[in-house]
Amino acid sequence: MRILVTGGAGFIGSHLVRRLLADPRHQVVNLDALRYSGNLENLADVAGHPRYTFVHGDICDAATVEQVLKEQGIEAVVNAAAETHVDRSILDPHSFAKTDVVGTAVLLEASRKAKVERYLQVSTDEVYGSVETGMSTEEDPLIPRSPYAASKAGGDLLVRSYWTTYRFPVLITRGSNTYGPHQYPEKFIPLCVTNAIDDQPLPIYGDGRYRRDWLSVHDHCSAIEHVLLNGRPGTVYNVGGGNERENIAVAEMILEQLGKPTSLIRFVEDRPGHDRRYAVDCSRLRALGWAPTVPFEEGLRATVDWYRTHEGWWRKIKSGEFRAYYERMYGKRLREGVTG
Ligand code: NAD
């Protein structure tokens, strides 16, 4: 299959590109605008692969998208291009609406016109909103509570409408909090790991008792590939790792592995509208023959080791644009602190 992966230079996209290339039946085209989290170093090992092509472009740009679909003879599209960080969506909601809603609309319409055979939208469990008890099923209402989650939900609704309106063969995966190598260090786990390596404080929002279901990037990508190849058109599939943990517990595990003291933990002023818990029921995807394979302790250990042995990758990032972002996000919070 000739597959277009958008956002392939990002965290999940780059793992997905590598995974798809491992199957000799696939040709992979990666369309990425190389925003702050897009990094071609993530794919340096496959840059010269004979079945891989990189195109620098924006999913909001219809002419570029149409040209790529046509010239590359694309048969399937996986949309992993997005603005992805909740905190940044609070600082700059507009760019999230642009890429996650308008970009999705442009890509969908171009894909429909090009008669693409399968279109998969990579979405998130955050569209269900905070789930204090129980698990979200795919039929639950979408009650997003951050500009990020709301933009992703908008994209999902457009994608679903292409099935009901045009019978365009769409699929949606809603993955839970994902972790692994090559994740931009603004996200919780790599932020904790890289700060701890440098003996810097680990900023923990509120009381630290927020719960997330952690999913290894390897399991997330195996789920995306499985749904792309086997999913029923018009269907949404939840993807979760079955590893629910409180943020504070994850931070403590990281410190323990790195041999750093828990005194590095700093409770800071909470994120506005912070969702307390996400949890997804994955029985639909399990019935389709997928199951996660990476136990959290093992996956986290490997991830911490990766950041420990790839300092060049994240130090370059942390010394650039990231610095100003970090100061804006955490500078005052860390100076003032709160009691957890
Ligand atoms: P990321 O921020 O690491 O990567 C996003 C990529 O998209 C970057 O390479 C960026 O350059 C590219 N991009 C951004 N805007 C673009 C545009 N307009 N046109 C083309 N490319 C553009 O994000 P990620 O964590 O890899 O997330 C990928 C997808 O997975 C997103 O849709 C996200 O919502 C979803 N998701 C992520 C998680 C998670 O925990 N990381 C969990 C569930 C779902």
Side-chain angles (χ1 to χ4, degrees), residues 120-126 128 136-138 172-178 213-227 236-243 278-286 288 290-293:
L120 187 149
Q121 178 81 356
V122 179
S123 186
T124 165
D125 62 356
E126 301 198 22
Y128 297 116
S136 304
T137 74
E138 292 86 348
I172 298 175
T173 54
R174 294 195 180 131
S176 64
N177 268 53
T178 305
D213 172 8
W214 291 99
L215 172 67
S216 138
V217 70
H218 303 292
D219 285 334
H220 195 159
C221 290
S222 77
I224 293 170
E225 184 184 26
H226 192 75
V227 171
V236 179
Y237 294 91
N238 286 341
V239 189
N243 299 297
Y278 305 121
V280 280
D281 176 336
C282 304
S283 38
R284 182 179 286 173
L285 184 52
R286 282 180 177 266
L288 193 71
W290 174 88
T293 59

Side-chain angles (χ1 to χ4, degrees), residues 7 9-13 32-35 37-38 57-59 80-82 84 99 122-124 148 152 175-178 183 220:
F11 165 49
I12 296 171
D32 197 300
L34 298 180
R35 295 279 153 72
S37 62
D58 189 330
I59 60 164
T84 59
T99 287
V122 179
S123 186
T124 165
Y148 163 63
K152 292 296 294 182
S176 64
N177 268 53
T178 305
Q183 186 169 29
H220 195 159

Side-chain angles (χ1 to χ4, degrees), residues 17-77:
V17 165
R18 201 173 294 103
R19 181 179 186 91
L20 293 173
L21 284 172
D23 183 334
R25 295 171 300 173
H26 300 322
Q27 302 267 346
V28 182
V29 178
N30 169 14
L31 174 68
D32 197 300
L34 298 180
R35 295 279 153 72
Y36 74 93
S37 62
N39 185 349
L40 286 178
E41 275 184 41
N42 294 348
L43 287 168
D45 55 328
V46 296
H49 195 291
R51 288 181 282 107
Y52 170 69
T53 308
F54 172 68
V55 180
H56 186 193
D58 189 330
I59 60 164
C60 300
D61 175 358
T64 300
V65 172
E66 284 166 14
Q67 189 183 354
V68 170
L69 292 173
K70 190 165 169 225
E71 283 182 1
Q72 302 286 340
I74 297 298
E75 295 159 302
V77 171

Side-chain angles (χ1 to χ4, degrees), residues 191 195 200-204 264-269 326-327 329-338:
L191 183 72
N195 278 16
Q200 291 298 310
L202 276 50
I204 307 288
L264 284 177
I265 289 174
R266 283 305 142 73
F267 292 101
V268 298
E269 183 196 338
Y326 190 80
E327 173 55 30
M329 215 51 240
Y330 296 110
K332 184 165 170 283
R333 281 186 161 99
L334 281 166
R335 281 189 292 278
E336 291 178 352
V338 292

Side-chain angles (χ1 to χ4, degrees), residues 59-60 82-84 88-89 92-106 146-152 154-155 158:
I59 60 164
C60 300
E83 292 291 341
T84 59
R88 288 191 194 248
S89 82
D92 175 21
H94 190 94
S95 60
F96 284 70
K98 185 142 190 265
T99 287
D100 302 3
V101 183
V102 177
T104 296
V106 169
S146 70
Y148 163 63
S151 304
K152 292 296 294 182
L158 270 172

